[in-house]
């Protein structure tokens, strides 16, 4: 523990990050290694191109959306702290976590997880999934198997299902409601980040 | 079909047992009579009573009937089954039947024998379990399931055997001729949680899916394990205690793995075989469901023949073929397989429980040893709890979502023992194990105790502990889409953080599967639409369409049936254009003047109010008989090999040729605009797209067209618009109906060319129509629409061939476009006022 702690101390803001995200020192360390591996220019920042080094992402139908989720609007780069904060969404929810009320909702709470998922669709970040946005995701995921108009019908229907206020778009609230029955903790958690 | 074959076999054996046990003494007698029959013939008997001739199958059929009737009676009492699980009631029913038989024969004539059970009753239950296994859920909990099934079962067997042996040494059960090995053998047969009992009980309590899959998966796999353990210990017992050395033990362990993995492999191979076979059964669709059953059964028998685990074999066979056969086979065959599977599984389950009850009423097997029996009960329960808690404690260190304490309690408590244990106990060799009957009766008591008592208390316990229940709800598309997104997202995050995790592995497997397995095992045509989201969408659409029809019919709308006629009526409107190519429409010229409103549910009420005279109904009935049948109209005629809707090739061919001829003619006539009407139609499509959301047209031809367009999208809903003489209100309704069911998704496919071609006079009409457009309020107060009507967004594909009619009048070049591209998009979704 001592050695890992010492190397964690080399990472700026490591303690705060651990506090904030709930990651252990080992996690932070591992993620930092990964971050440095991706950071080909050693500038402490990742650019979208750096994610391109992960080959599998190119095969991932929604890989681009996920990459762009790492970048807050208008920013071209992501630093380690933000990188970790994004990944913290995927930490399994702590079961018996005694959270003091003052503390802000942790990134791995179901609501934050959902928000992240919502962002996958909401590319223009206007708080609504428009038909075009949904269509884009569907197109990416279904690809050539389905024809364009089938896609359209699917998108149409999906929007109808969730769209409660009939504005032809899915707001976050509607999104949350439509996924009420889904175990978000389960679906949006990765074991090794536990 | 195979179904009957199997059932006969199943019960053939029941009856065989019966013969063996009962008729042996009288067999010679029987032979004599038969012999005598043959030789001493004095004249031709007109009627003879040949009971022995039919005895076996007759009894089999009777038993099936009795078991079925028993289930019927039990299920009729809902207030009882809601408290006591069906399995328990069936056992009690068996008690009663057994009592009656005992009273009549003074000996238990019928009992469940291992042969019947393992060869004819168990396979279909397990096959069904494998076939309907939620694979993704199973494999994502595979680790836990395996741990419970393998280690848990071994633990159960060892702890029970050793403890009983210890108690025996301690003198708790008096004088029994049992050694350590016998105790371990007994432990191994008692170890397995029984899938039949577990399914029967857990089906009624709806616990959350993870808990269910753990108990269920465990019960399936540990059957394999327990049979293997049983065989190993059985061999040890035959070998005798002193001959067992380290080598034999190691051999036993190796054989355990060989048997388990070998069995799974056999099942896998057969699963692939089934998938491959169903690729090419297109021409024998009527028997293709049979292959699934026969090959599944063969998987079971083959594994048994190779002394591998038959249960594991058939489980994996079902699991690995489900995906491919479901997409390879015709939809109806899939339904058949599903239903027959359920019929067989439920049937055997019923028979098993009934016979478990009947077997109890037999003086021969009952040997009472209080110590042995009570201790067994106690240990079974206690060690189950200990085993589950300990294993879960270890598992929770690794699991993403830990198994909660309450779930562990339910898992432990759900450790029901059943017919597998009983079957194994009966298989014991009396020569090697002197106390066989004690073991059998103990097993029965444990089975009754767990199935009846634990079964009854399970539900209250689940309620009391507030176990997380399965989320029951409607399938929604957005959830499925989101599911996919989650999957992709997790993989991506694992990739980004550079870890090889569960999701990574699954992704790799999926890719492999996509690339190789589906390629080899799936029909090319099935591959196209295999996407999960797409399937869900398809299913939802079907469901909505069904509901639409049901609701329509519930309201008494007979018009639904007539939609095919309706579109032909539409043609009559144009019979000047069509008369030479469609002579038969002249059969009923009247209708040309008085067209029938077709299937508009909204229209129905108006119709009933006398807007259309009754004779029209008759005329259309006649028409229906004489005109071409619509594509999907059923033709009820008997054929053994075709259970088929109308696919009269000639008719279809003819219609197609006509259509093409018409198109050709209109092409020859060269320029568009020769027949204004056509233009109108053409244009109206555009008009409709643009104006439908709020625009209502009073223009007659537009209305026709609306109907036409609807028809294109879905025959079932083909609307409405032929009421030329109707007032504007129904017209609006008509339009509304169109809007309600048309697929708004086509909207963005506007063909810019077509827009340019709109002739000026029509453009005018367009303006006109927009001016007439009723307000949204007008739409809102429309008559009812089945809820979710707007969801009916039929896929373009389904109506593809139909649009040849619709587009027959369009210029050929245009047609080409239209054939390849979707038809002009309907209006964007109107406000959802029609949802009720």
């Amino acid at each position: 523990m001592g050695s890992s702690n010492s190397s964690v101390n080399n990472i700026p803001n490591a303690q705060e990050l651990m506090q904030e995200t709930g990651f252990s020192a080992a996690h932070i360390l591992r993620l930092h290694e990964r971050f440095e591996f991706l950071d080909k220019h050693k500038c402490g920042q990742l650019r979208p191109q750096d994610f391109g080094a992960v080959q599998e992402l190119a095969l991932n139908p929604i890989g681009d959306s996920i990459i762009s989720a790492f970048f807050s609007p208008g920013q071209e780069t992501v630093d380690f702290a933000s990188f970790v904060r994004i990944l913290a969404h995927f930490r399994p929810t702590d079961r018996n976590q005694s959270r003091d009320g003052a503390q802000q909702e942790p990134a791995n709470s179901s609501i934050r997880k959902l928000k992240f998922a919502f962002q996958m669709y909401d590319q223009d970040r206007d708080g609504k999934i428009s038909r075009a946005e949904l269509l884009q995701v569907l197109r990416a995921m279904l690809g050539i198997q389905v024809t364009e108009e089938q896609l359209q019908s699917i998108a149409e229907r999906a929007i109808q299902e969730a769209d409660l206020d009939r504005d032809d778009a899915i707001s976050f609230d509607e999104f949350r409601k439509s996924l009420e029955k889904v175990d978000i903790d389960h679906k949006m958690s990765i074991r090794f980040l536990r | 079909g195979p179904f009957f074959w199997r059932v006969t076999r199943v019960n053939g054996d029941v009856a065989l047992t019966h013969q063996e046990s009962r008729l042996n003494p009288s067999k010679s007698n029987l032979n004599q009579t038969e012999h005598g029959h043959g030789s001493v013939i004095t004249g031709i008997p007109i009627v003879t009573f040949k009971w022995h001739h039919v005895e076996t199958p007759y009894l089999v059929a009777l038993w099936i009937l009795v078991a079925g009737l028993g289930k019927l009676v039990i299920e009729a009492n809902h207030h009882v089954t809601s408290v006591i699980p069906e399995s328990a009631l069936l056992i009690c029913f068996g008690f009663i039947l057994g009592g009656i038989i005992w009273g009549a024969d003074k000996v238990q004539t019928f009992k469940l024998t291992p042969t019947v059970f393992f060869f004819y009753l168990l396979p279909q239950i397990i096959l069904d379990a494998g076939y309907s296994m939620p694979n993704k859920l199973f494999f994502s909990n595979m680790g836990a399931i395996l741990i419970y099934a393998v280690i848990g079962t071994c633990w159960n067997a060892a702890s029970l055997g050793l403890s009983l042996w210890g108690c025996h040494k301690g003198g708790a059960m008096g004088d029994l001729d049992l050694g350590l090995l016998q105790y371990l053998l007994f432990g191994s047969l008692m170890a397995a949680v029984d899938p039949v009992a577990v399914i029967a009980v857990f089906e009624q309590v709806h616990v959350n899916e993870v808990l269910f899959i753990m108990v269920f998966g465990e019960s399936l796999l540990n059957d394999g394990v327990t049979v293997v353990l049983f065989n190993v210990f059985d061999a040890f017992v035959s070998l005798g205690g002193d001959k067992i050395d380290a080598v034999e033990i190691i051999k036993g362990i190796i054989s355990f793995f060989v048997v388990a993995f070998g069995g799974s492999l056999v099942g896998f191979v057969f699963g692939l075989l089934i998938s491959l076979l169903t690729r090419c059964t297109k021409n024998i669709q009527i028997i293709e469901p049979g292959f699934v059953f026969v090959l599944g059964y063969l998987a079971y028998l083959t594994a048994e023949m190779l002394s591998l685990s038959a249960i594991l074999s058939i489980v994996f066979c079902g699991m690995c073929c489900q995906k491919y056969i479901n997409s390879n086979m015709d939809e109806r065959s899939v339904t058949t397989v599903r239903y027959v599977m359920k019929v067989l599984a439920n049937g055997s389950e019923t028979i098993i429980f009934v016979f478990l009850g009947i077997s109890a009423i037999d003086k021969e097997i009952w040997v009472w040893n209080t110590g042995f029996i009570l201790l067994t009960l106690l240990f079974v329960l206690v060690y189950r709890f200990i085993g589950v808690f300990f294993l879960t404690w270890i598992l929770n260190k690794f699991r993403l979502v830990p198994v909660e304490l309450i779930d562990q309690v339910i898992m432990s408590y759900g450790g029901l023992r059943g017919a597998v244990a009983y079957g194994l106990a009966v298989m014991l060799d009396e020569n090697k194990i002197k106390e066989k009957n004690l073991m059998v009766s103990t097993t029965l008591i444990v089975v009754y105790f767990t199935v009846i008592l634990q079964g009854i208390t399970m539900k209250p316990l689940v309620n009391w502990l507030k176990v997380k229940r399965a989320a029951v709800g409607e399938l929604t598309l957005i959830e499925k889409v989101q599911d996919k997104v989650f999957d992709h997202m997790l993989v991506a995050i694992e990739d980004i953080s550079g870890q090889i995790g569960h999701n990574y592995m699954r992704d790799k497997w999926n890719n492999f599967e996509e690339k190789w397995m589906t390629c080899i095992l799936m029909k090319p045509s099935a591959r196209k639409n295999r996407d999960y989201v797409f399937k869900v969408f398809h299913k939802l659409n079907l469901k909505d369409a069904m509901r639409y029809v049901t609701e329509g019919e519930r309201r008494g709308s007979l018009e639904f049936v007539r939609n095919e006629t309706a579109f032909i009526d539409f043609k009559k409107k144009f019979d000047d254009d069509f008369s030479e190519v469609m002579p038969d429409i002249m059969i009923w010229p009247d209708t040309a003047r008085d067209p029938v409103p077709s299937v508009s549910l909204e229209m129905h009420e108006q119709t009933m109010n006398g807007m259309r005279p009754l004779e029209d109904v008759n005329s259309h009935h006649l028409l229906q008989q004489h005109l071409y049948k619509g594509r999907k109209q059923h033709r009820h005629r008997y054929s053994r090999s075709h259970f088929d809707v109308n696919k009269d090739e000639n008719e279809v061919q003819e219609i197609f040729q006509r259509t093409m001829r018409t198109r050709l003619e209109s092409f020859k006539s060269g320029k568009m605009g020769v027949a204004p009407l056509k233009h109108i139609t053409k244009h109206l499509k555009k008009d409709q797209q643009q104006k439908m959301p709020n625009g209502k047209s009073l223009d007659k031809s537009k209305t026709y067209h609306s109907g036409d367009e609807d028809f294109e999208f879905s025959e079932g809903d083909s609307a409405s618009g032929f009421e030329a003489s109707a007032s504007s209100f129904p017209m609006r309704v008509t339009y509304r109906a169109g809007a309600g069911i048309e697929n708004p998704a086509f909207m963005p496919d506007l063909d810019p060319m077509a827009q340019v071609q709109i002739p000026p006079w029509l453009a005018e009409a367009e303006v006109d129509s927009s001016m007439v457009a009723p307000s949204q309020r007008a739409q809102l107060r429309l008559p009812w629409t089945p809820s979710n009507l707007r969801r009916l967004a039929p896929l373009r594909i389904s109506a593809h061939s139909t649009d040849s009619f619709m587009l027959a009048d369009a210029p050929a070049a245009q047609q080409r476009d239209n054939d390849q591209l979707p038809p002009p998009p309907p209006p964007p979704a109107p406000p959802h006022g029609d949802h009720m």
Side-chain angles (χ1 to χ4, degrees):
Chain A
M1 202 62 184
S3 67
S4 78
N5 257 340
S6 65
S7 21
V8 162
N9 289 336
N10 298 336
I11 302 166
N13 303 330
Q15 294 304 328
E16 290 96 274
L17 267 180
M18 281 161 62
Q19 190 100 55
E20 186 189 332
T21 58
F23 279 133
S24 69
H27 282 134
I28 297 283
L29 207 59
R30 198 159 14 143
L31 292 177
H32 193 252
E33 268 170 32
R34 182 65 178 173
F35 185 82
E36 297 205 308
F37 170 78
L38 292 173
D39 182 17
K40 296 282 182 243
H41 303 279
K42 303 287 167 230
C43 56
Q45 305 274 326
L46 289 185
R47 289 164 307 131
Q49 302 90 289
D50 293 325
F51 285 97
V54 187
Q55 280 170 10
E56 288 88 351
L57 268 182
L59 301 174
N60 195 316
I62 55 168
D64 287 340
S65 311
I66 287 165
I67 293 174
S68 69
F70 277 83
F71 300 90
S72 34
Q75 277 196 308
E76 293 295 301
T77 56
V78 56
D79 61 0
F80 180 63
S82 319
F83 181 73
V84 171
R85 277 188 208 111
I86 295 291
L87 291 179
H89 285 108
F90 293 89
R91 209 168 65 84
T93 313
D94 312 282
R95 292 274 144 178
N96 316 312
Q97 190 188 36
S98 53
R99 248 191 301 121
D100 32 344
Q103 210 179 343
Q104 176 207 358
E105 192 90 5
N108 61 348
S109 69
S110 340
I111 198 88
R112 291 280 300 273
K113 282 176 192 287
L114 257 183
K115 280 223 168 88
F116 187 86
F118 186 74
Q119 273 181 26
M120 289 292 99
Y121 298 95
D122 187 21
Q123 291 295 320
D124 60 4
R125 312 249 169 136
D126 65 347
K128 279 179 190 285
I129 303 174
S130 68
R131 183 191 306 247
E133 282 165 346
L134 180 61
L135 204 56
Q136 200 182 342
V137 175
L138 280 174
R139 192 176 295 131
M141 288 199 314
L142 291 164
I144 47 162
Q145 298 172 15
V146 185
T147 63
E148 184 66 21
E149 73 268 28
Q150 287 169 341
L151 271 182
Q152 306 247 5
S153 338
I154 292 175
E156 170 63 27
R157 177 159 185 144
I159 286 196
Q160 272 176 31
E161 277 176 358
D163 184 16
L164 300 174
D165 59 4
R166 311 275 149 92
D167 63 349
D168 209 25
I170 303 175
S171 68
F172 179 67
D173 264 353
E174 289 163 350
F175 185 69
R176 192 166 50 84
K177 285 217 180 71
S178 69
L179 296 180
E180 229 160 23
K181 279 180 248 128
V182 180
D183 187 355
I184 304 295
D185 290 344
H186 198 153
K187 295 263 157 102
M188 259 188 81
S189 299
I190 292 177
R191 193 177 323 177
F192 64 82
L193 294 177
R194 187 170 162 203
Chain B
F3 166 52
F4 285 109
W5 177 70
R6 291 270 303 269
V7 168
T8 322
R9 295 297 298 273
V10 166
N11 298 278
D13 229 74
V14 177
L16 275 181
T17 329
H18 157 87
Q19 273 192 327
E20 274 158 23
S21 59
R22 175 188 175 180
L23 294 183
N24 272 346
S26 62
K27 219 160 201 170
S28 50
N29 201 3
L30 189 143
N31 285 343
Q32 270 178 7
T33 37
E34 268 174 10
H35 192 66
H37 228 347
S39 55
V40 200
I41 254 186
T42 50
I44 296 171
I46 295 177
V47 174
T48 48
F49 182 70
K50 296 196 283 185
W51 165 245
H52 292 298
H53 185 60
V54 296
E55 182 175 4
T56 309
Y58 205 91
L59 282 174
V60 170
L62 271 186
W63 271 118
I64 296 177
L65 181 69
V66 167
L69 289 179
K71 190 169 171 128
L72 180 83
V73 172
I74 287 165
E75 282 299 319
N77 300 304
H78 258 297
H79 49 282
V80 180
T81 43
S82 62
V83 182
I84 307 171
E86 192 195 273
S87 45
L89 288 171
L90 282 170
I91 290 182
C92 297
F93 178 65
F95 288 156
I96 299 169
L97 281 182
I100 294 172
I101 297 167
W102 179 267
D105 284 9
K106 296 288 171 240
V107 65
Q108 192 45 268
T109 326
F110 303 93
K111 38 183 149 179
L112 191 60
T113 63
T115 334
V116 179
F117 176 71
F118 283 108
F119 280 123
Y120 306 121
L121 291 175
L122 192 59
Q124 56 265 45
I125 296 181
I126 309 288
L127 181 63
D128 174 56
Y131 176 73
S132 40
M133 176 76 76
N135 274 352
K136 192 179 164 193
L137 196 60
F138 179 84
F139 283 110
S140 53
N141 291 293
M142 181 83 168
I145 291 171
L146 275 179
I147 299 260
Y148 290 125
V150 178
I151 300 181
T153 308
C154 292
W155 155 258
N156 282 348
S159 58
L160 177 66
L162 288 173
S163 311
L164 282 177
W165 181 66
C167 292
H168 180 197
K169 288 278 162 206
M173 30 191 125
D175 193 24
L176 284 179
D177 186 12
L178 289 171
L180 176 60
L181 280 177
Q182 277 92 340
Y183 274 115
L184 285 175
L185 179 60
F186 179 67
S188 70
L189 73 87
M190 285 302 307
V193 175
D194 186 66
V196 187
V198 162
I199 299 167
V201 167
F202 274 75
E203 238 173 25
Q204 302 188 340
V205 286
H206 306 295
V207 293
N208 62 69
E209 53 177 12
V210 176
L211 176 56
F212 179 76
I213 199 74
M214 297 249 241
V215 180
F216 179 52
E218 181 203 346
S219 70
L220 273 181
L221 298 193
N222 74 7
D223 267 339
V225 175
T226 201
V227 172
V228 174
L229 273 184
F230 178 83
N231 287 338
V232 170
F233 280 115
D234 198 34
F236 281 170
V237 169
S238 331
L239 219 61
D242 34 316
K243 285 204 190 111
I244 297 170
D245 49 13
V247 180
E248 296 299 327
I249 291 175
I250 290 172
K251 265 157 80 181
I253 294 172
I254 292 175
S255 98
F256 175 86
F257 284 102
V258 169
V259 167
F261 283 103
S264 314
L265 191 72
V266 169
F268 187 70
V269 169
F270 270 89
L272 297 188
L273 271 181
I274 298 178
S275 312
L276 277 178
L277 196 65
T278 48
R279 263 191 78 151
C280 37
T281 47
K282 195 168 154 257
N283 298 326
I284 44 166
Q285 247 170 34
I286 201 71
I287 62 163
E288 72 185 351
F291 287 121
V292 179
F293 296 96
V294 171
L295 277 171
Y297 193 48
L298 277 178
Y300 187 88
L301 292 181
T302 310
E304 190 69 41
M305 181 176 73
L306 301 171
S307 70
L308 301 172
S309 169
I311 294 174
L312 288 180
S313 165
I314 200 166
V315 168
F316 279 101
C317 175
M319 279 171 61
C320 87
C321 73
Q322 51 166 262
K323 177 178 174 183
Y324 306 107
I325 61 175
N326 283 354
S327 37
N328 277 348
M329 290 194 308
D330 186 74
E331 210 163 312
R332 278 162 302 166
S333 304
V334 175
T335 314
T336 311
V337 168
R338 240 175 233 151
Y339 271 86
V340 173
M341 210 67 109
K342 292 288 173 216
V343 169
L344 288 176
N346 259 304
S348 351
E349 192 189 284
T350 310
I351 293 171
I352 288 172
F353 282 124
V354 170
F355 271 84
L356 270 180
I358 291 176
S359 309
I361 316 296
D362 186 1
K363 220 163 65 182
E364 280 169 33
I365 59 162
W366 285 109
V367 180
W368 192 266
N369 181 320
T370 318
F372 187 82
I373 291 173
L374 289 186
L375 282 172
T376 307
L377 264 180
L378 179 75
F379 288 144
V380 161
L381 200 64
V382 169
Y383 287 127
R384 168 80 185 168
F385 269 91
I386 296 176
V388 167
F389 276 81
F390 179 69
L391 291 176
T392 318
W393 177 71
I394 295 175
L395 277 170
N396 274 351
K397 291 191 178 305
F398 302 99
R399 276 183 71 81
L400 174 63
V401 179
V403 181
E404 284 168 44
L405 190 70
I406 317 171
D407 287 6
Q408 295 175 37
V409 173
I410 296 298
M411 273 189 76
S412 319
Y413 200 67
L416 310 178
R417 309 306 204 265
V420 172
Y422 174 74
L424 290 175
V426 175
M427 268 166 71
L428 289 172
D429 184 355
E430 220 158 341
N431 300 324
K432 283 182 282 182
I433 296 158
K434 299 283 183 296
E435 306 290 347
K436 175 187 168 184
N437 278 340
L438 176 62
M439 288 189 178
V440 172
S441 44
T442 309
T443 311
L444 274 177
I445 286 182
V446 173
V447 170
Y448 297 149
F449 180 83
T450 54
V451 171
I452 298 179
L453 282 182
Q454 286 180 216
I456 291 173
T457 45
M458 180 63 84
K459 210 170 186 178
L461 189 71
V462 166
N463 288 333
W464 182 60
L465 290 175
K466 299 194 179 61
V467 175
K468 216 156 91 193
R469 299 301 186 93
V472 275
E474 272 189 56
L475 178 74
T476 63
L477 197 61
I478 186 109
E479 261 175 41
K480 297 299 159 191
V481 171
Q482 188 53 42
D483 240 28
K484 277 248 165 169
V485 172
F486 281 140
D487 281 353
H488 288 307
M489 199 153 57
L490 291 188
V491 179
I493 295 296
E494 281 191 2
D495 289 339
I496 287 173
S497 44
Q499 303 289 329
I500 294 180
H502 178 78
N503 297 295
Y504 177 85
M505 300 302 277
R506 189 180 56 213
D507 194 50
K508 279 274 171 280
W509 163 254
N510 282 346
N511 286 342
F512 168 78
E513 214 238 338
E514 192 88 337
K515 212 166 168 184
W516 299 103
M517 308 264 289
T518 36
C519 225
I520 298 167
L521 300 175
M522 226 183 252
K523 274 200 293 206
S525 56
R527 248 176 272 151
K528 219 181 293 165
N529 293 337
R530 73 181 177 278
D531 189 274
Y532 188 50
V533 174
F534 184 81
K535 271 189 208 148
V536 170
F537 181 64
H538 175 68
K539 219 187 279 173
L540 287 170
N541 264 349
L542 274 184
K543 210 174 77 186
D544 285 349
M546 221 102 105
R547 189 162 30 178
Y548 181 80
V549 173
T550 328
E551 236 167 294
E553 285 175 350
R554 190 172 54 77
R555 310 227 359 153
S557 171
L558 297 169
E559 288 169 275
F560 225 98
V561 203
R562 275 197 300 275
N563 68 40
E564 274 90 7
T565 330
F567 93 80
I568 289 162
D569 289 333
F570 162 72
K571 297 250 177 297
K572 288 174 201 289
K573 294 304 288 178
F574 305 96
D575 63 10
D576 295 339
D577 305 288
F578 284 87
S579 52
E580 61 297 42
V581 283
M582 295 195 72
D584 31 23
I585 56 175
M586 303 312 288
I587 292 173
W588 211 265
D590 276 2
T591 35
R593 252 153 274 139
D594 185 10
V596 200
S598 69
V599 212
S600 153
L601 293 179
E602 289 86 345
M603 283 301 290
H604 171 65
E605 280 165 13
Q606 320 270 335
T607 315
M608 285 291 117
N609 292 338
M611 283 183 70
R612 188 159 45 85
L614 189 66
E615 47 265 39
D616 261 16
V617 178
N618 293 332
S619 68
H620 290 294
H621 183 70
L622 259 174
L623 260 181
Q624 208 173 12
Q625 299 208 318
H626 292 296
L627 293 176
Y628 283 134
K629 295 286 187 280
R631 276 192 310 134
K632 293 212 174 134
Q633 196 154 12
H634 280 263
R635 285 219 169 149
H636 297 288
R637 56 181 165 202
Y638 175 76
S639 157
R640 196 182 323 151
S641 56
H642 292 286
F643 176 69
D644 221 349
V645 293
N646 175 25
K647 274 185 192 162
D648 191 326
E649 300 263 336
N650 294 334
E651 203 173 286
V652 172
Q653 195 64 29
E654 204 178 323
I655 295 175
F656 175 74
Q657 277 167 3
R658 278 188 187 168
T659 314
M660 292 318 283
R661 216 180 305 143
T662 332
R663 287 183 178 189
L664 199 66
E665 271 159 28
S666 75
F667 179 69
K668 270 186 213 152
S669 67
K671 294 115 206 155
M672 41 182 291
V674 169
L677 187 57
K678 291 171 186 170
H679 276 279
I680 288 170
T681 324
K682 183 63 200 165
H683 159 69
L684 280 168
K685 284 185 181 174
K686 295 284 99 92
D687 181 17
Q688 205 182 356
Q689 299 146 19
Q690 289 152 10
K691 296 301 165 202
M692 278 283 277
N694 47 7
K696 305 288 172 192
S697 166
L698 295 182
D699 185 319
K700 237 187 197 176
S701 55
K702 281 181 187 178
T703 318
Y704 296 144
H705 185 72
S706 142
D708 169 19
E709 180 102 344
D710 282 343
F711 178 71
E712 270 186 77
F713 285 105
S714 111
E715 286 168 278
D717 309 320
S718 131
S720 49
F722 306 114
E723 191 77 59
S725 55
S727 69
S728 67
F729 177 59
M731 204 83 77
R732 249 179 251 147
V733 171
T734 300
Y735 245 110
R736 199 60 204 83
I741 43 185
E742 264 174 327
N743 185 351
F746 301 147
M747 184 179 45
D749 276 313
L750 271 171
D751 183 354
M753 278 304 287
Q755 259 173 329
V756 177
Q757 288 165 358
I758 296 173
W761 66 89
L762 284 171
E764 207 175 281
E766 196 178 327
V767 173
D768 183 32
S769 77
S770 59
M771 289 194 314
V772 190
S775 64
Q776 288 194 1
R777 197 169 43 81
Q779 293 179 21
L780 286 177
R781 64 182 172 101
L782 287 168
W784 72 284
T785 320
S787 52
N788 300 331
L789 203 60
R790 282 197 53 250
R791 287 189 176 172
L792 273 189
L795 295 174
R796 191 64 188 82
I797 283 178
S798 62
H800 206 275
S801 57
T802 349
D803 65 353
S804 50
F805 289 102
M806 280 49 243
L807 300 173
D809 45 357
Q814 200 73 34
Q815 271 171 35
R816 279 208 143 189
D817 274 349
N818 279 323
D819 278 351
Q820 281 150 9
L821 295 170
H832 296 228
D834 54 337
H835 282 247
M836 291 181 92

